[in-house]
Coordinates of all heavy atoms in Angstrom, one line a residue:
M26 N 3.8 18.5 -0.1 CA 4.2 17.3 -0.8 C 3.0 16.7 -1.5 O 2.0 16.4 -0.9 CB 4.9 16.4 0.1 CG 4.8 14.9 -0.2 SD 5.7 13.8 0.9 CE 4.6 13.6 2.3
A27 N 3.1 16.5 -2.8 CA 2.1 15.8 -3.6 C 2.5 14.4 -3.7 O 3.5 14.0 -4.3 CB 2.0 16.5 -5.0
R28 N 1.7 13.5 -3.1 CA 2.0 12.1 -3.1 C 1.8 11.5 -4.5 O 0.9 11.9 -5.2 CB 1.1 11.3 -2.1 CG 1.4 11.7 -0.6 CD 0.6 10.8 0.3 NE 1.0 11.1 1.7 CZ 2.0 10.6 2.3 NH1 2.7 9.7 1.7 NH2 2.3 10.9 3.6
T29 N 2.6 10.5 -4.8 CA 2.4 9.8 -6.1 C 1.3 8.8 -6.0 O 1.2 8.0 -5.1 CB 3.7 9.0 -6.4 OG1 4.8 10.0 -6.5 CG2 3.6 8.3 -7.7
T30 N 0.3 8.9 -7.0 CA -0.8 8.0 -7.0 C -0.4 6.6 -7.5 O 0.2 6.5 -8.6 CB -1.9 8.5 -7.9 OG1 -2.3 9.8 -7.3 CG2 -3.1 7.6 -7.9
I31 N -0.7 5.6 -6.7 CA -0.3 4.2 -7.1 C -1.6 3.5 -7.7 O -2.6 3.4 -6.9 CB 0.2 3.4 -5.9 CG1 1.4 4.1 -5.3 CG2 0.5 2.0 -6.3 CD1 1.8 3.6 -3.9
P32 N -1.6 3.2 -8.9 CA -2.8 2.5 -9.5 C -3.0 1.1 -8.9 O -2.0 0.5 -8.5 CB -2.5 2.4 -11.0 CG -1.0 2.5 -11.1 CD -0.5 3.3 -9.9
V33 N -4.2 0.7 -8.9 CA -4.6 -0.6 -8.3 C -5.0 -1.6 -9.4 O -5.8 -1.2 -10.3 CB -5.7 -0.5 -7.3 CG1 -6.1 -1.8 -6.7 CG2 -5.2 0.4 -6.1
T34 N -4.5 -2.8 -9.4 CA -4.9 -3.8 -10.3 C -5.8 -4.8 -9.5 O -5.4 -5.2 -8.4 CB -3.7 -4.6 -10.9 OG1 -2.9 -3.7 -11.6 CG2 -4.1 -5.7 -11.8
R35 N -7.0 -5.1 -10.1 CA -7.9 -6.0 -9.4 C -7.6 -7.4 -10.0 O -7.7 -7.6 -11.2 CB -9.3 -5.6 -9.7 CG -9.7 -4.4 -9.0 CD -11.2 -4.2 -8.9 NE -11.9 -5.2 -8.1 CZ -12.1 -5.2 -6.8 NH1 -11.5 -4.2 -6.1 NH2 -12.8 -6.1 -6.2
A36 N -7.3 -8.3 -9.1 CA -7.2 -9.7 -9.5 C -8.6 -10.2 -9.9 O -9.6 -9.7 -9.5 CB -6.6 -10.6 -8.4
V37 N -8.6 -11.2 -10.8 CA -9.8 -11.7 -11.3 C -10.1 -13.1 -10.7 O -9.3 -14.0 -10.7 CB -9.8 -11.9 -12.8 CG1 -11.0 -12.5 -13.4 CG2 -9.5 -10.6 -13.5
A38 N -11.3 -13.2 -10.0 CA -11.6 -14.5 -9.4 C -11.7 -15.6 -10.4 O -12.3 -15.4 -11.5 CB -13.0 -14.3 -8.7
N39 N -11.1 -16.7 -10.2 CA -11.1 -17.8 -11.1 C -10.5 -17.5 -12.4 O -10.8 -18.0 -13.4 CB -12.5 -18.4 -11.3 CG -13.1 -18.8 -9.9 OD1 -12.4 -19.5 -9.1 ND2 -14.3 -18.4 -9.7
G40 N -9.5 -16.5 -12.4 CA -8.9 -16.1 -13.7 C -7.5 -15.6 -13.4 O -6.9 -16.0 -12.5
S41 N -7.0 -14.7 -14.3 CA -5.7 -14.2 -14.2 C -5.6 -12.8 -14.7 O -6.5 -12.3 -15.3 CB -4.7 -15.1 -15.0 OG -5.0 -15.0 -16.4
V42 N -4.5 -12.1 -14.3 CA -4.2 -10.8 -14.8 C -2.7 -10.8 -15.2 O -1.9 -11.5 -14.6 CB -4.5 -9.6 -13.8 CG1 -5.9 -9.5 -13.4 CG2 -3.7 -9.9 -12.5
T43 N -2.4 -9.9 -16.1 CA -1.0 -9.7 -16.5 C -0.3 -9.0 -15.4 O -0.8 -8.1 -14.7 CB -0.9 -8.9 -17.8 OG1 -1.7 -9.6 -18.8 CG2 0.5 -8.7 -18.3
D44 N 1.0 -9.4 -15.1 CA 1.8 -8.7 -14.1 C 1.8 -7.2 -14.3 O 2.3 -6.7 -15.3 CB 3.2 -9.3 -14.1 CG 4.0 -8.9 -12.9 OD1 3.4 -8.5 -11.9 OD2 5.2 -9.0 -12.9
P45 N 1.2 -6.4 -13.4 CA 1.1 -5.0 -13.6 C 2.5 -4.3 -13.4 O 3.4 -4.8 -12.6 CB 0.2 -4.6 -12.5 CG 0.2 -5.6 -11.4 CD 0.6 -6.9 -12.1
A46 N 2.6 -3.2 -14.0 CA 3.9 -2.4 -13.9 C 3.9 -1.7 -12.5 O 2.8 -1.4 -12.0 CB 3.9 -1.3 -15.0
A47 N 5.1 -1.6 -12.0 CA 5.2 -0.9 -10.7 C 5.3 0.6 -10.8 O 5.6 1.1 -11.9 CB 6.5 -1.4 -10.0
T48 N 4.9 1.3 -9.8 CA 5.0 2.7 -9.7 C 6.2 3.1 -8.8 O 6.3 2.6 -7.7 CB 3.7 3.3 -9.2 OG1 2.6 2.9 -10.1 CG2 3.7 4.8 -9.1
T49 N 7.0 4.0 -9.3 CA 8.1 4.5 -8.4 C 7.6 5.5 -7.4 O 6.9 6.5 -7.7 CB 9.2 5.2 -9.2 OG1 9.7 4.3 -10.2 CG2 10.3 5.7 -8.4
V50 N 7.8 5.2 -6.1 CA 7.5 6.0 -5.0 C 8.8 6.5 -4.4 O 9.6 5.8 -4.0 CB 6.6 5.2 -3.9 CG1 6.3 6.1 -2.7 CG2 5.3 4.7 -4.6
T51 N 8.9 7.9 -4.3 CA 10.1 8.5 -3.9 C 10.1 8.9 -2.4 O 9.0 9.1 -1.9 CB 10.5 9.7 -4.7 OG1 9.5 10.7 -4.5 CG2 10.6 9.4 -6.2
A52 N 11.2 9.0 -1.8 CA 11.3 9.4 -0.4 C 10.8 10.8 -0.3 O 10.2 11.2 0.7 CB 12.7 9.3 0.1
A53 N 11.0 11.6 -1.3 CA 10.5 13.0 -1.3 C 9.0 13.2 -1.3 O 8.5 14.1 -0.7 CB 11.1 13.8 -2.5
N54 N 8.3 12.3 -2.0 CA 6.9 12.5 -2.2 C 6.0 11.5 -1.5 O 4.8 11.7 -1.2 CB 6.5 12.5 -3.7 CG 7.0 13.7 -4.4 OD1 7.3 14.7 -3.8 ND2 7.2 13.6 -5.7
G55 N 6.4 10.3 -1.3 CA 5.6 9.2 -0.8 C 4.6 8.8 -1.8 O 4.6 9.2 -3.0
G56 N 3.6 8.0 -1.4 CA 2.6 7.4 -2.3 C 1.2 7.4 -1.7 O 1.1 7.5 -0.4
T57 N 0.2 7.3 -2.5 CA -1.2 7.2 -2.0 C -1.9 6.3 -2.9 O -1.7 6.2 -4.1 CB -1.8 8.6 -2.0 OG1 -3.1 8.5 -1.4 CG2 -2.0 9.2 -3.4
I58 N -2.9 5.6 -2.3 CA -3.8 4.7 -3.1 C -5.2 5.3 -2.7 O -5.7 5.1 -1.6 CB -3.7 3.3 -2.7 CG1 -2.3 2.8 -3.0 CG2 -4.8 2.4 -3.4 CD1 -2.0 1.4 -2.5
P59 N -5.8 6.0 -3.7 CA -7.2 6.5 -3.5 C -8.2 5.4 -3.3 O -8.1 4.3 -3.9 CB -7.5 7.3 -4.7 CG -6.2 7.5 -5.4 CD -5.3 6.3 -5.0
N60 N -9.2 5.7 -2.5 CA -10.3 4.7 -2.3 C -9.8 3.3 -2.0 O -10.2 2.4 -2.7 CB -11.3 4.8 -3.5 CG -11.8 6.1 -3.7 OD1 -12.3 6.8 -2.8 ND2 -11.7 6.6 -4.9
A61 N -8.9 3.2 -1.1 CA -8.2 1.9 -0.8 C -9.1 0.9 -0.2 O -9.8 1.1 0.8 CB -7.0 2.2 0.1
D62 N -9.1 -0.3 -0.8 CA -9.8 -1.5 -0.3 C -8.8 -2.2 0.5 O -8.3 -3.3 0.1 CB -10.4 -2.3 -1.4 CG -11.2 -3.5 -1.0 OD1 -11.4 -3.7 0.3 OD2 -11.6 -4.3 -1.8
T63 N -8.4 -1.7 1.7 CA -7.3 -2.2 2.4 C -7.4 -3.7 2.8 O -6.4 -4.4 2.9 CB -7.0 -1.3 3.7 OG1 -8.1 -1.3 4.5 CG2 -6.6 0.1 3.3
E64 N -8.6 -4.1 3.2 CA -8.7 -5.5 3.6 C -8.4 -6.5 2.5 O -8.2 -7.7 2.8 CB -10.1 -5.7 4.2 CG -10.2 -5.4 5.7 CD -10.5 -3.9 5.9 OE1 -10.8 -3.2 4.9 OE2 -10.3 -3.4 7.0
H65 N -8.4 -6.1 1.3 CA -8.2 -7.0 0.2 C -6.9 -6.6 -0.6 O -6.7 -7.1 -1.7 CB -9.4 -7.1 -0.8 CG -10.6 -7.6 -0.1 ND1 -11.6 -6.8 0.4 CD2 -11.0 -8.9 0.3 CE1 -12.5 -7.5 1.0 NE2 -12.2 -8.8 0.9
L66 N -6.2 -5.7 -0.1 CA -5.0 -5.1 -0.8 C -3.7 -5.7 -0.4 O -3.4 -5.9 0.7 CB -5.0 -3.6 -0.5 CG -3.9 -2.8 -1.1 CD1 -4.2 -2.6 -2.6 CD2 -3.8 -1.4 -0.5
L67 N -2.9 -6.0 -1.5 CA -1.6 -6.5 -1.3 C -0.7 -5.5 -2.0 O -0.9 -5.1 -3.1 CB -1.4 -7.9 -1.9 CG -2.1 -9.0 -1.2 CD1 -1.9 -10.3 -2.0 CD2 -1.5 -9.2 0.2
L68 N 0.4 -5.2 -1.3 CA 1.4 -4.3 -1.9 C 2.7 -5.1 -2.2 O 3.2 -5.7 -1.2 CB 1.7 -3.1 -1.0 CG 0.6 -2.2 -0.6 CD1 1.0 -1.1 0.4 CD2 0.0 -1.6 -1.9
R69 N 3.2 -5.0 -3.4 CA 4.5 -5.6 -3.7 C 5.5 -4.4 -3.7 O 5.4 -3.5 -4.5 CB 4.5 -6.3 -5.0 CG 5.9 -6.9 -5.3 CD 5.8 -7.7 -6.6 NE 5.5 -6.8 -7.7 CZ 5.0 -7.2 -8.9 NH1 4.7 -8.5 -9.1 NH2 4.8 -6.3 -9.8
V70 N 6.5 -4.4 -2.8 CA 7.4 -3.3 -2.7 C 8.8 -3.8 -3.0 O 9.3 -4.7 -2.3 CB 7.4 -2.7 -1.2 CG1 8.4 -1.6 -1.1 CG2 6.0 -2.3 -0.8
A71 N 9.4 -3.3 -4.1 CA 10.8 -3.7 -4.5 C 11.7 -2.5 -4.3 O 11.4 -1.4 -4.6 CB 10.7 -4.1 -6.0
A72 N 12.9 -2.9 -3.7 CA 13.9 -1.8 -3.5 C 15.2 -2.2 -4.1 O 15.6 -3.4 -4.0 CB 14.0 -1.6 -2.0
T73 N 15.9 -1.3 -4.7 CA 17.3 -1.5 -5.2 C 18.3 -1.3 -4.0 O 19.3 -1.9 -4.0 CB 17.6 -0.7 -6.4 OG1 17.4 0.7 -6.1 CG2 16.8 -1.1 -7.6
G74 N 18.0 -0.3 -3.2 CA 18.8 -0.1 -2.0 C 17.9 -0.3 -0.8 O 16.6 -0.3 -0.9
A75 N 18.4 -0.6 0.4 CA 17.6 -0.8 1.6 C 16.7 0.4 1.8 O 17.1 1.5 1.6 CB 18.5 -1.0 2.8
A76 N 15.5 0.1 2.2 CA 14.5 1.1 2.5 C 13.6 0.7 3.6 O 13.4 -0.5 3.9 CB 13.6 1.4 1.2
T77 N 13.0 1.7 4.3 CA 12.0 1.5 5.3 C 10.7 2.1 4.7 O 10.7 3.3 4.4 CB 12.3 2.1 6.6 OG1 13.5 1.6 7.1 CG2 11.2 1.9 7.6
V78 N 9.7 1.3 4.5 CA 8.4 1.7 4.0 C 7.5 1.9 5.2 O 7.4 1.0 6.0 CB 7.9 0.7 3.0 CG1 6.5 1.1 2.6 CG2 8.8 0.6 1.8
T79 N 6.8 3.0 5.3 CA 5.9 3.3 6.4 C 4.5 3.4 5.8 O 4.2 4.3 5.0 CB 6.3 4.6 7.1 OG1 7.7 4.5 7.5 CG2 5.4 4.9 8.2
I80 N 3.6 2.6 6.4 CA 2.2 2.7 6.1 C 1.7 3.6 7.2 O 1.7 3.3 8.4 CB 1.4 1.3 6.2 CG1 2.1 0.3 5.3 CG2 0.0 1.5 5.8 CD1 2.2 0.6 3.8
K81 N 1.2 4.8 6.8 CA 0.8 5.8 7.7 C -0.5 5.5 8.4 O -1.5 5.0 7.8 CB 0.6 7.2 7.0 CG 1.9 7.7 6.3 CD 3.0 7.9 7.2 CE 2.8 9.1 8.2 NZ 3.8 9.2 9.2
A82 N -0.5 5.8 9.7 CA -1.8 5.6 10.5 C -2.8 6.5 9.9 O -2.5 7.6 9.4 CB -1.5 6.0 12.0
G83 N -4.0 6.1 10.0 CA -5.2 6.8 9.4 C -5.6 8.0 10.2 O -5.0 8.4 11.2
A84 N -6.7 8.5 9.8 CA -7.3 9.7 10.5 C -8.5 9.2 11.3 O -9.3 8.4 10.8 CB -7.7 10.7 9.5
M85 N -8.7 9.7 12.5 CA -9.8 9.4 13.4 C -10.8 10.5 13.3 O -10.5 11.6 13.7 CB -9.3 9.1 14.8 CG -10.3 9.0 15.8 SD -11.4 7.6 15.5 CE -12.3 7.6 17.0
P86 N -12.1 10.3 12.9 CA -12.5 9.1 12.2 C -12.1 9.1 10.7 O -11.7 10.2 10.3 CB -14.1 9.2 12.3 CG -14.3 10.6 12.4 CD -13.1 11.3 13.1
P87 N -12.1 8.1 9.9 CA -12.8 6.8 10.2 C -11.9 5.8 10.8 O -12.4 4.7 11.2 CB -13.2 6.4 8.7 CG -12.1 7.0 7.9 CD -11.7 8.3 8.6
A88 N -10.6 6.0 10.9 CA -9.7 4.9 11.4 C -9.7 4.9 12.9 O -8.9 5.6 13.6 CB -8.3 5.1 10.9
I89 N -10.6 4.1 13.5 CA -10.8 4.1 15.0 C -9.6 3.6 15.7 O -9.4 3.9 16.9 CB -12.0 3.3 15.4 CG1 -12.0 1.9 14.9 CG2 -13.3 4.0 14.9 CD1 -13.1 1.0 15.4
A90 N -8.7 2.8 15.0 CA -7.5 2.3 15.6 C -6.2 3.1 15.2 O -5.1 2.6 15.3 CB -7.3 0.8 15.3
A91 N -6.4 4.3 14.7 CA -5.3 5.1 14.2 C -4.2 5.3 15.3 O -3.0 5.4 15.0 CB -5.8 6.4 13.7
G92 N -4.7 5.3 16.6 CA -3.8 5.5 17.7 C -2.7 4.4 17.8 O -1.7 4.6 18.5
L93 N -2.9 3.3 17.1 CA -1.8 2.3 17.1 C -0.6 2.7 16.4 O 0.5 2.1 16.5 CB -2.3 0.9 16.6 CG -3.4 0.3 17.4 CD1 -4.0 -0.9 16.7 CD2 -2.9 -0.2 18.7
G94 N -0.7 3.7 15.6 CA 0.4 4.3 14.9 C 0.7 3.7 13.5 O 0.0 2.9 13.0
D95 N 1.8 4.2 13.0 CA 2.3 3.8 11.7 C 2.8 2.3 11.7 O 3.1 1.9 12.8 CB 3.5 4.7 11.2 CG 3.1 6.1 11.0 OD1 1.9 6.4 10.9 OD2 4.0 6.9 11.0
E96 N 2.9 1.7 10.6 CA 3.5 0.4 10.5 C 4.7 0.5 9.6 O 4.6 1.1 8.5 CB 2.5 -0.6 9.9 CG 3.1 -2.0 9.7 CD 3.3 -2.7 11.1 OE1 2.6 -2.4 12.1 OE2 4.2 -3.6 11.2
Q97 N 5.9 0.1 10.1 CA 7.1 0.2 9.3 C 7.6 -1.2 8.8 O 7.6 -2.1 9.6 CB 8.2 0.9 10.1 CG 7.9 2.3 10.4 CD 9.0 3.1 11.0 OE1 9.8 2.5 11.7 NE2 9.2 4.4 10.6
I98 N 8.0 -1.3 7.6 CA 8.4 -2.5 7.0 C 9.8 -2.3 6.4 O 10.0 -1.4 5.6 CB 7.5 -3.0 5.8 CG1 6.1 -3.2 6.4 CG2 8.0 -4.2 5.1 CD1 5.1 -2.1 6.2
A99 N 10.8 -3.1 6.8 CA 12.1 -3.0 6.3 C 12.2 -3.8 5.0 O 11.8 -5.0 5.0 CB 13.1 -3.5 7.3
V100 N 12.7 -3.2 3.9 CA 13.0 -3.9 2.7 C 14.4 -3.8 2.4 O 15.0 -2.7 2.3 CB 12.2 -3.3 1.5 CG1 12.3 -4.1 0.2 CG2 10.7 -3.1 1.9
G101 N 15.1 -5.0 2.3 CA 16.5 -5.0 2.0 C 16.9 -4.6 0.6 O 16.0 -4.5 -0.3
A102 N 18.2 -4.3 0.4 CA 18.7 -4.0 -0.9 C 18.4 -5.1 -1.9 O 18.6 -6.3 -1.5 CB 20.2 -3.7 -0.8
N103 N 18.0 -4.8 -3.0 CA 17.7 -5.8 -4.1 C 16.7 -6.8 -3.6 O 16.8 -8.0 -4.0 CB 18.9 -6.4 -4.6 CG 19.8 -5.4 -5.2 OD1 19.4 -4.5 -6.0 ND2 21.1 -5.3 -4.8
A104 N 15.7 -6.4 -2.8 CA 14.7 -7.4 -2.2 C 13.3 -6.9 -2.5 O 13.1 -5.7 -2.9 CB 15.0 -7.5 -0.7
T105 N 12.4 -7.8 -2.3 CA 11.0 -7.5 -2.5 C 10.2 -7.9 -1.2 O 10.5 -9.0 -0.7 CB 10.4 -8.2 -3.7 OG1 11.1 -7.8 -4.9 CG2 8.9 -8.0 -3.9
A106 N 9.3 -7.1 -0.8 CA 8.5 -7.4 0.4 C 7.0 -7.3 -0.1 O 6.6 -6.5 -0.9 CB 8.7 -6.4 1.5
W107 N 6.2 -8.2 0.4 CA 4.8 -8.2 0.2 C 4.1 -7.7 1.5 O 4.4 -8.2 2.6 CB 4.3 -9.6 -0.1 CG 4.6 -10.0 -1.5 CD1 5.8 -10.6 -1.9 CD2 3.9 -9.8 -2.7 NE1 5.8 -10.8 -3.3 CE2 4.6 -10.3 -3.8 CE3 2.6 -9.3 -2.9 CZ2 4.1 -10.3 -5.1 CZ3 2.1 -9.2 -4.2 CH2 2.9 -9.8 -5.3
V108 N 3.3 -6.7 1.4 CA 2.6 -6.1 2.5 C 1.1 -6.2 2.4 O 0.6 -5.9 1.3 CB 3.0 -4.6 2.6 CG1 2.4 -3.9 3.8 CG2 4.5 -4.4 2.6
G109 N 0.5 -6.6 3.5 CA -1.0 -6.6 3.5 C -1.5 -8.0 3.7 O -0.8 -8.9 3.7
P110 N -2.8 -8.1 3.7 CA -3.9 -7.0 3.8 C -3.7 -6.1 5.0 O -3.0 -6.5 6.0 CB -5.2 -7.8 3.9 CG -4.9 -9.2 3.6 CD -3.4 -9.4 3.9
L111 N -4.3 -5.0 5.0 CA -4.2 -4.0 6.0 C -5.6 -3.6 6.6 O -6.5 -3.6 5.9 CB -3.5 -2.7 5.5 CG -2.1 -2.9 4.8 CD1 -1.8 -1.7 4.0 CD2 -1.1 -3.1 5.9
E112 N -5.6 -3.3 7.9 CA -6.8 -2.9 8.5 C -7.3 -1.5 8.2 O -6.5 -0.6 8.4 CB -6.7 -3.0 10.1 CG -6.4 -4.3 10.6 CD -6.2 -4.2 12.1 OE1 -7.2 -4.1 12.9 OE2 -5.0 -4.2 12.5
S113 N -8.4 -1.3 7.6 CA -8.9 0.0 7.4 C -9.1 0.8 8.7 O -8.9 2.0 8.7 CB -10.2 0.0 6.6 OG -11.2 -0.7 7.3
G114 N -9.5 0.1 9.7 CA -9.7 0.7 11.0 C -8.4 1.3 11.6 O -8.5 2.0 12.6
R115 N -7.3 1.0 11.0 CA -6.0 1.6 11.5 C -5.4 2.5 10.5 O -4.7 3.5 10.9 CB -5.0 0.4 11.8 CG -3.7 0.9 12.3 CD -2.8 -0.2 12.8 NE -1.5 0.3 13.1 CZ -0.5 -0.5 13.4 NH1 -0.6 -1.9 13.4 NH2 0.7 -0.1 13.7
F116 N -5.5 2.2 9.2 CA -4.7 2.9 8.2 C -5.5 3.8 7.2 O -4.8 4.6 6.5 CB -3.9 1.9 7.4 CG -3.0 1.1 8.2 CD1 -3.2 -0.2 8.5 CD2 -1.8 1.7 8.7 CE1 -2.3 -1.0 9.3 CE2 -1.0 1.0 9.5 CZ -1.2 -0.4 9.8
I117 N -6.8 3.8 7.2 CA -7.5 4.6 6.2 C -7.5 6.0 6.5 O -7.7 6.4 7.7 CB -8.9 4.0 6.0 CG1 -9.4 4.3 4.6 CG2 -9.9 4.5 7.0 CD1 -8.8 3.4 3.5
Q118 N -7.2 6.9 5.6 CA -7.2 8.3 5.8 C -8.6 8.9 5.7 O -9.5 8.2 5.3 CB -6.3 9.0 4.8 CG -4.9 8.5 4.8 CD -4.2 8.7 6.1 OE1 -4.2 9.8 6.6 NE2 -3.5 7.7 6.6
A119 N -8.8 10.1 6.1 CA -10.2 10.7 6.1 C -10.8 10.7 4.7 O -12.0 10.6 4.6 CB -10.1 12.2 6.7
D120 N -10.0 10.8 3.7 CA -10.5 10.8 2.3 C -10.7 9.4 1.7 O -11.0 9.2 0.5 CB -9.7 11.7 1.4 CG -8.3 11.2 1.2 OD1 -7.9 10.1 1.8 OD2 -7.5 11.8 0.5
G121 N -10.4 8.4 2.5 CA -10.6 7.0 2.0 C -9.3 6.4 1.4 O -9.3 5.3 0.9
S122 N -8.2 7.2 1.4 CA -7.0 6.7 0.8 C -6.1 6.0 1.8 O -6.3 6.1 3.0 CB -6.2 7.9 0.2 OG -5.8 8.8 1.2
L123 N -5.0 5.4 1.3 CA -3.9 4.8 2.1 C -2.7 5.7 1.8 O -2.4 6.0 0.6 CB -3.7 3.4 1.6 CG -2.7 2.6 2.4 CD1 -3.2 2.3 3.8 CD2 -2.4 1.3 1.7
A124 N -1.9 6.0 2.8 CA -0.8 6.9 2.6 C 0.5 6.1 2.9 O 0.5 5.4 3.9 CB -0.8 8.1 3.5
I125 N 1.5 6.2 2.1 CA 2.7 5.5 2.2 C 3.9 6.4 2.1 O 4.0 7.3 1.2 CB 2.9 4.4 1.1 CG1 1.7 3.5 1.1 CG2 4.2 3.7 1.1 CD1 1.5 2.6 -0.2
D126 N 4.8 6.3 3.1 CA 6.1 7.0 3.0 C 7.2 6.0 2.9 O 7.1 4.8 3.2 CB 6.3 7.8 4.3 CG 5.4 9.1 4.4 OD1 4.9 9.5 3.4 OD2 5.3 9.6 5.5
T127 N 8.4 6.4 2.4 CA 9.5 5.6 2.3 C 10.8 6.3 2.5 O 10.9 7.5 2.2 CB 9.5 4.9 0.9 OG1 10.6 4.0 0.8 CG2 9.5 5.9 -0.3
S128 N 11.8 5.7 3.0 CA 13.1 6.3 3.3 C 14.0 6.4 2.0 O 15.0 7.1 2.0 CB 13.8 5.5 4.4 OG 14.2 4.2 4.0
A129 N 13.7 5.6 1.0 CA 14.4 5.6 -0.2 C 13.4 5.2 -1.4 O 12.3 4.7 -1.1 CB 15.5 4.5 -0.2
D130 N 13.8 5.5 -2.6 CA 12.9 5.2 -3.7 C 12.6 3.7 -3.8 O 13.6 2.9 -3.6 CB 13.5 5.7 -5.0 CG 13.7 7.2 -5.1 OD1 13.2 7.9 -4.1 OD2 14.2 7.7 -6.1
V131 N 11.4 3.4 -4.0 CA 11.0 2.0 -4.1 C 10.0 1.9 -5.3 O 9.4 2.9 -5.7 CB 10.3 1.4 -2.8 CG1 11.3 1.4 -1.7 CG2 9.1 2.3 -2.4
A132 N 9.8 0.7 -5.8 CA 8.8 0.4 -6.8 C 7.6 -0.4 -6.1 O 7.8 -1.4 -5.5 CB 9.4 -0.4 -7.9
V133 N 6.4 0.2 -6.3 CA 5.2 -0.4 -5.6 C 4.2 -0.8 -6.6 O 3.9 -0.1 -7.5 CB 4.6 0.7 -4.6 CG1 3.4 0.1 -3.9 CG2 5.6 1.1 -3.6
T134 N 3.7 -2.0 -6.4 CA 2.5 -2.5 -7.2 C 1.4 -2.8 -6.2 O 1.7 -3.5 -5.2 CB 2.9 -3.8 -7.9 OG1 4.1 -3.6 -8.7 CG2 1.8 -4.3 -8.8
A135 N 0.2 -2.4 -6.5 CA -0.9 -2.6 -5.6 C -1.9 -3.5 -6.3 O -2.3 -3.3 -7.5 CB -1.6 -1.3 -5.3
I136 N -2.3 -4.6 -5.6 CA -3.2 -5.6 -6.2 C -4.3 -5.9 -5.2 O -4.0 -6.1 -4.0 CB -2.4 -6.9 -6.5 CG1 -1.3 -6.7 -7.4 CG2 -3.4 -8.0 -7.0 CD1 -0.4 -7.9 -7.6
V137 N -5.5 -5.8 -5.6 CA -6.7 -6.1 -4.8 C -7.1 -7.5 -5.2 O -7.3 -7.8 -6.3 CB -7.8 -5.1 -5.0 CG1 -9.1 -5.6 -4.4 CG2 -7.5 -3.8 -4.4
V138 N -7.2 -8.4 -4.1 CA -7.6 -9.7 -4.3 C -9.1 -9.9 -3.9 O -9.4 -9.8 -2.7 CB -6.7 -10.7 -3.6 CG1 -7.2 -12.1 -3.8 CG2 -5.3 -10.5 -4.0
P139 N -10.0 -10.0 -4.8 CA -11.4 -10.1 -4.4 C -11.8 -11.5 -3.8 O -11.0 -12.5 -4.0 CB -12.2 -9.9 -5.7 CG -11.3 -10.5 -6.7 CD -9.9 -10.2 -6.2
K140 N -12.9 -11.6 -3.2 CA -13.4 -12.9 -2.7 C -13.7 -13.7 -3.9 O -14.4 -13.2 -4.9 CB -14.6 -12.7 -1.8 CG -15.2 -14.0 -1.3 CD -16.3 -13.7 -0.4 CE -16.9 -15.0 0.1 NZ -18.1 -14.8 0.9
A141 N -13.3 -15.0 -4.0 CA -13.6 -15.9 -5.1 C -15.1 -16.1 -5.2 O -15.8 -16.2 -4.2 CB -12.9 -17.2 -5.0
A142 N -15.6 -16.2 -6.4 CA -17.1 -16.4 -6.6 C -17.5 -17.8 -6.2 O -16.8 -18.7 -6.1 CB -17.4 -16.1 -8.1

């Protein structure tokens, strides 16, 4: 399975960004965020039908808390859930990415919120 790459929008300290477009993540492929800055990452997950979104446990190493397992988030039909920030020590994959699975197609937007200057 080739995961769908979810682009990341960086918020601007003391500024603004235009609302980024969402990426469709399918149940068949799942999604990935390369080089994920998980501690500053927020995911906006929108579903037209009820879905369970799974943030996959990372690889040990580097994710020393990977043994805590996956995190599942229920998203209701026609609803939006905000997910994050997430612990890199639990969710980061060996290649530095974040892996996401879903039980139904969802629209995901990834936003990194930097520390304000």
Side-chain angles (χ1 to χ4, degrees):
M26 147 174 82
R28 293 186 177 275
T29 301
T30 299
I31 302 165
V33 175
T34 298
R35 290 194 68 80
V37 177
N39 303 312
S41 65
V42 295
T43 304
D44 192 18
T48 300
T49 300
V50 175
T51 65
N54 290 337
T57 184
I58 299 173
N60 303 311
D62 182 4
T63 57
E64 273 84 14
H65 298 102
L66 181 70
L67 291 174
L68 302 175
R69 180 177 63 202
V70 181
T73 53
T77 300
V78 174
T79 303
I80 309 299
K81 300 299 292 175
M85 168 60 173
I89 60 173
L93 293 173
D95 299 343
E96 182 68 27
Q97 293 188 327
I98 298 98
V100 184
N103 299 310
T105 299
W107 286 87
V108 180
L111 301 164
E112 296 176 77
S113 62
R115 180 174 175 188
F116 298 108
I117 207 75
Q118 302 299 314
D120 64 358
S122 68
L123 183 72
I125 301 166
D126 287 342
T127 181
S128 65
D130 295 358
V131 294
V133 179
T134 307
I136 301 170
V137 168
V138 181
K140 182 178 177 183

